[in-house]
Amino acid sequence: MDPADTGQPDTGSEGDRHPPGSPGADGRAAECRGSADTGDRPGTASAGDSRDTAGAGNARDTTGAGDSRDTTGTGNSRDTTGAADFHDIAGAEGFPGTVNTGDRPGTANLGGGAQSGRGRRPVGVETDVAAAVAEAHRREWAFVLAATVRVTRDLDLAEECVQDAYAQALTRWADDGIPARPGGWLTTAARNRAFDLLRRRSTLLRRLPLLVSDETGEDPAEAALAAAEIPDDRLRLICTCCHPALSIEAQVALTLRLVCGLTTAEVARAFLVSEPTMAARITRAKKKIATARIPYRVPAPAELPERIDAVLAVVHLLFTTGHTAPSGDALIRRDLAERATDVARMLRLLLPGNAEVAGLLALILLTDARRETRVDESGAMVPLADQDRTRWDRTRIAEGLALVRAALSSSPDGDTSPDHAEHRAEPHPTPPGRYALEAAIAAVHAESPSYAATDWRDILGLYDILIQRWPSPVVALNRAVAVGMADGPQAGLTALEPLTAEPQLAAYPYLPAARAHFLAELGRTDAARLAYEEAILLTDNTPQRRYLAAKLARLR
């Protein structure tokens, strides 16, 4: 993680006592991607708990660190814009594997099922099926779960049914072939399983609190979504998870678990808290949703602003996870980045006058515009300084720049965006804030004709404002990198020094990587080697580790 290679830093992850990314939080998973593009880093861990993410020994608890359902490999939610070219990530890829793969009632008619008398399968079929199921988990988990919750009105039961559906796919697809629409097959299997279990448990369920279904008429927000032909199930699920009855930390953690399918260990790492702490937090949140009878619906536009902060944090963490995978051989998780973009656009449609919504969408577009240049043909990471800027997506950059201007020019009196003049009467739009400032930092990189022409003074000035609005150890780290780029390696090293005693950054690889870069620039080779070795030990993503190893090798 070369500070000089950074593109936009991380602002940190959330802590137990503070909103995601807020000052003093235990670990802000949402990062501030602002200035130096270090590489990318998203990552958030996913909780794989299908029934109880906390209970130790609970047979239904599949959230353990080894939860096979976590195929999202999200990295550290800290920020894909960090000061270095690699991001802290954790999480092994896989697919639901903690449930019985045998035939399940309710899915028996989906393709005929596996039978022992069908004979030996062709060589390679099981491998192809496993890969297809893993891919379906990465791309379809949120869609399948959201659709199933609409049937069960019980989060734990829905998760169990979805896990069963994925387990069934391992055997059914091997015998009957991979369906043309895996998501549709899995949704049907999960919903059939749900109907079957609901019939069996009807007596018990009448005594348990269920998610309240909003049947008072068509919801204005959902009507807007339908008119725009945008699927709303994911947003419905996110808004339920981000209900104000839950703490903001619980809202973000629960959404990462349910929408992204992350393991408890991954979510814990993203928040910089222990796994047992995160498991207990997720379990309490799920129980509160049930006992408080929180509606499973998209809030009306008038209600959505109250919950937008947590929703934006979730979308940001989702994107950072896709921007840089927490582990594995690939740097980028395109599916997660694209999913985050879709949800951000959905939010922009619902709240066109909200400056932070515009800022977050701008940040995502400006950062993701570099996607095709971040790795070479072999999959190796390419730092910002070496990227071919002629290949950046100029359409996304143009859209992002327009959104940045709208976000920064908004005031509490209304939306000044020319594209949404008709919405200026919307009450109390959010003034420019964290995401708008991070997007402004990303815009500086996007508009620079070359890496050498980057205006680090401008970036440093934006970080000075950001750290006042959103103080966190990760923002301070990114600002320190900008100091080093603007004023020289010694100034950067001096700015980094106080952060070495910061508990939240103890396992954060970008700190030793940034120190290594500046130490090497100063000719302090031995100290630089030690810092690179530390950064490598803290990094799980293969392309990032190789990048750091190459930097280390050049010092030997």
Side-chain angles (χ1 to χ4, degrees):
M1 140 189 227
D2 213 337
D5 297 329
T6 69
Q8 302 153 49
D10 228 338
T11 53
S13 56
E14 312 126 353
D16 288 336
R17 296 172 300 152
H18 303 273
S22 71
D26 267 0
R28 1 206 79 97
E31 9 190 283
C32 167
R33 6 187 110 205
S35 73
D37 182 320
T38 63
D40 317 282
R41 90 172 77 359
T44 59
S46 59
D49 174 8
S50 77
R51 303 281 299 167
D52 179 359
T53 63
N58 187 327
R60 293 176 181 150
D61 180 14
T62 63
T63 60
D67 183 357
S68 58
R69 283 193 294 129
D70 175 27
T71 64
T72 61
T74 76
N76 190 317
S77 59
R78 302 181 183 120
D79 187 351
T80 67
T81 63
D85 267 88
F86 59 94
H87 304 265
D88 182 354
I89 25 199
E93 301 207 326
F95 47 84
T98 57
V99 294
N100 188 335
T101 59
D103 288 345
R104 299 279 190 173
T107 58
N109 295 325
L110 290 170
Q115 299 178 10
S116 58
R118 291 196 175 188
R120 182 173 300 178
R121 294 166 181 152
V123 176
V125 168
E126 292 184 355
T127 300
D128 292 342
V129 167
V133 173
E135 179 68 10
H137 181 276
R138 284 191 292 270
R139 294 190 174 279
E140 309 290 353
W141 173 267
F143 295 99
V144 178
L145 179 62
T148 306
V149 174
R150 298 183 77 172
V151 172
T152 64
R153 290 183 292 154
D154 179 298
L155 295 172
D156 285 335
L157 181 58
E159 284 190 276
E160 178 182 314
C161 294
V162 174
Q163 282 191 317
D164 285 351
Y166 276 94
Q168 282 295 303
L170 289 171
T171 54
R172 299 299 177 84
W173 295 2
D175 290 323
D176 303 322
I178 299 170
R181 296 180 59 251
W185 191 101
L186 290 163
T187 300
T188 301
R191 288 165 66 93
N192 284 348
R193 175 64 172 159
F195 284 126
D196 181 72
L197 290 179
L198 289 172
R199 284 193 295 269
R200 296 183 183 186
R201 303 177 186 181
S202 58
T203 301
L204 174 61
L205 289 177
R206 279 196 293 269
R207 302 175 184 175
L208 295 177
L210 299 177
L211 289 174
V212 178
S213 177
D214 186 24
E215 299 176 351
T216 59
E218 185 176 44
D219 185 87
E222 295 193 11
L225 291 175
E229 299 183 354
I230 299 176
D232 63 86
D233 277 350
R234 289 176 300 164
L235 187 56
R236 180 193 297 262
L237 182 60
I238 289 175
C239 288
T240 299
C241 295
C242 295
H243 196 277
L246 304 173
S247 70
I248 196 163
E249 296 90 350
Q251 292 173 31
V252 177
L254 185 60
T255 302
L256 291 175
R257 166 66 188 87
L258 297 178
V259 177
C260 302
L262 304 183
T263 65
T264 301
E266 288 178 322
V267 178
R269 183 168 183 177
F271 281 66
L272 303 181
V273 299
S274 69
E275 184 176 347
T277 296
M278 181 55 64
R281 184 182 300 173
I282 292 173
T283 297
R284 287 195 300 269
K286 291 164 73 176
K287 288 180 179 177
K288 181 148 191 182
I289 286 178
T291 57
R293 298 179 66 79
I294 291 174
Y296 184 57
R297 64 177 176 83
V298 176
E303 302 172 15
L304 197 56
E306 299 177 5
R307 292 156 63 179
I308 197 62
D309 288 344
V311 173
L312 292 179
V314 168
V315 178
H316 180 262
L317 293 181
L318 179 58
F319 176 71
T320 57
T321 295
H323 186 61
T324 298
S327 64
D329 296 331
L331 182 67
I332 304 168
R333 284 290 309 279
R334 294 171 182 268
D335 55 320
L336 295 182
E338 290 167 359
R339 189 180 303 172
T341 304
D342 291 342
V343 179
R345 288 190 183 282
M346 208 178 292
L347 291 171
R348 176 66 174 163
L349 175 68
L350 289 169
L351 290 176
N354 189 295
E356 283 292 77
V357 170
L360 178 58
L361 180 55
L363 177 61
I364 289 174
L365 293 173
L366 292 170
T367 304
D368 202 43
R370 305 192 305 266
R371 183 199 302 178
E372 299 304 322
T373 65
R374 293 178 57 231
V375 294
D376 62 19
E377 294 180 355
S378 68
M381 188 179 79
V382 179
L384 181 63
D386 298 333
Q387 290 174 15
D388 181 357
R389 298 184 178 223
T390 64
R391 295 178 54 215
W392 286 1
D393 189 331
R394 292 297 160 184
T395 300
R396 288 199 164 204
I397 289 176
E399 182 181 0
L401 292 175
L403 287 166
V404 170
R405 288 190 288 271
L408 293 177
S409 61
S410 294
S411 70
D413 297 324
D415 184 6
T416 60
S417 171
D419 294 331
H420 301 284
E422 68 275 18
H423 297 290
R424 290 183 184 180
E426 180 182 325
H428 308 301
T430 306
R434 170 194 172 188
Y435 297 113
L437 290 169
E438 293 181 31
I441 294 172
V444 175
H445 288 288
E447 292 185 301
S448 298
S450 66
Y451 186 76
T454 302
D455 189 342
W456 290 102
R457 287 286 173 197
D458 193 6
I459 289 173
L460 179 56
L462 289 167
Y463 268 118
D464 287 340
I465 300 173
L466 179 61
I467 202 166
Q468 293 177 10
R469 298 282 187 89
W470 198 261
S472 81
V474 178
V475 173
L477 169 60
N478 290 326
R479 180 187 176 280
V481 169
V483 168
M485 300 305 297
D487 298 329
Q490 184 58 59
L493 196 60
T494 300
L496 288 171
E497 192 60 32
L499 301 178
T500 59
E502 179 59 57
Q504 288 98 316
L505 299 179
Y508 195 52
Y510 301 101
L511 176 56
R515 292 187 69 253
H517 172 79
F518 290 139
L519 287 166
E521 288 285 307
L522 293 169
R524 297 169 59 180
T525 306
D526 290 342
R529 283 199 205 98
L530 290 175
Y532 272 127
E533 289 170 353
E534 180 184 354
I536 291 171
L537 288 174
L538 295 173
T539 304
D540 297 322
N541 180 273
T542 299
Q544 291 177 331
R545 287 175 64 87
R546 288 175 177 167
Y547 174 80
L548 292 171
K551 301 283 287 186
L552 175 60
R554 287 196 285 271
L555 296 178
R556 295 188 184 283

